[in-house]
Amino acid sequence: MPIKLAIIYYSVGGTNYQLAKWAEEAGIDAGAEVKVMKVPELAPQSVIDANKDWKAFLESTKEVPEVTLDDLEWADAIIFSVPTRFGNMPSQMKQFLDTTGGLWFNGKLVNKVVSAMSSAQNPHGGQEATILSLYTTMYHWGAIVATPGYADPSIYKAGGNPYRTSVTVGQDGKMVEDVEAAVKYQAKRTLTVADWVKKGNE
């Protein structure tokens, strides 16, 4: 049976959506069954309408399904991708994670293999803290956090974040570091660990 990989993102300008899509490519290439999903948007429509780029991005990804709790239960492995908000995850992702209490209480999230990616507009804008804030919730789940450390040359090329891929986004909206290979390595490592866990539980 293939590993089931859920890739869950929140994105305003498209950066974390692109990271999610690269992870999806790697997952499919590795033979996983992959779902890419977004968390529900909480921002008022009037705020979105006032930002033409944000509005256009949401329109272009309107067909991407919103994640549900059933998707978490379905998955063997989960990759999260979010921008930083003052060194923390966006409220949209936090709101979704706060709904997982029932799954947590019933032990449905134990041994899920997880990892996270993030972005910010400057190199020290809180990417690592954002990733760690996501991992704090995962520890409470009893999930297994799969990190890359410095196990692959792509990690150095992407900026050297051992916690998981993070990227700087310039004022032009483009990624500064070349992180595609690091994202794909991250996805494949996450799937490898998930495969070990799944085989160990059989």
Side-chain angles (χ1 to χ4, degrees), residues 23 56 58 84-85 102 112-113 148 152 156-157 165 177 189:
L58 291 182
T84 184
R85 293 291 183 267
K112 301 291 184 181
V113 177
D152 188 82
Y156 293 96
K157 187 176 181 181
T165 306
E177 299 87 8
R189 175 163 165 76

Side-chain angles (χ1 to χ4, degrees), residues 118-200:
S118 188
S119 65
Q121 288 194 337
N122 56 71
H124 303 288
Q127 295 101 318
E128 291 180 2
T130 296
I131 289 170
L132 292 173
S133 75
L134 274 158
Y135 288 164
T136 298
T137 298
M138 307 302 107
Y139 300 144
H140 283 259
W141 284 3
I144 297 169
V145 177
T147 63
Y150 295 104
D152 188 82
S154 63
I155 307 302
Y156 293 96
K157 187 176 181 181
N161 185 345
Y163 303 109
R164 277 309 188 197
T165 306
S166 65
V167 67
T168 310
V169 181
Q171 293 298 316
D172 59 0
K174 295 179 180 179
M175 298 185 209
V176 174
E177 299 87 8
D178 183 359
V179 299
E180 180 177 355
V183 170
K184 291 182 175 180
Y185 173 76
Q186 171 178 345
K188 289 179 179 178
R189 175 163 165 76
T190 302
L191 290 170
T192 296
V193 176
D195 187 53
W196 295 340
V197 173
K198 191 170 186 178
K199 287 177 178 175

Side-chain angles (χ1 to χ4, degrees), residues 58-154:
L58 291 182
E59 182 65 24
S60 71
T61 55
K62 65 182 179 182
E63 301 304 322
V64 177
E66 290 187 349
V67 65
T68 69
L69 295 177
D70 288 341
D71 295 314
L72 293 183
E73 190 168 359
W74 165 86
D76 300 306
I78 308 166
I79 296 175
F80 298 92
S81 191
V82 294
T84 184
R85 293 291 183 267
F86 302 111
N88 211 321
M89 73 183 86
S91 58
Q92 290 84 350
M93 182 63 74
K94 183 65 165 63
Q95 192 277 336
F96 173 69
L97 294 179
D98 284 346
T99 69
T100 63
L103 291 178
W104 163 80
F105 182 80
N106 289 292
K108 299 294 185 180
L109 301 173
V110 172
N111 290 336
K112 301 291 184 181
V113 177
V114 301
S115 66
M117 305 182 288
S118 188
S119 65
Q121 288 194 337
N122 56 71
H124 303 288
Q127 295 101 318
E128 291 180 2
T130 296
I131 289 170
L132 292 173
S133 75
L134 274 158
Y135 288 164
T136 298
T137 298
M138 307 302 107
Y139 300 144
H140 283 259
W141 284 3
I144 297 169
V145 177
T147 63
Y150 295 104
D152 188 82
S154 63

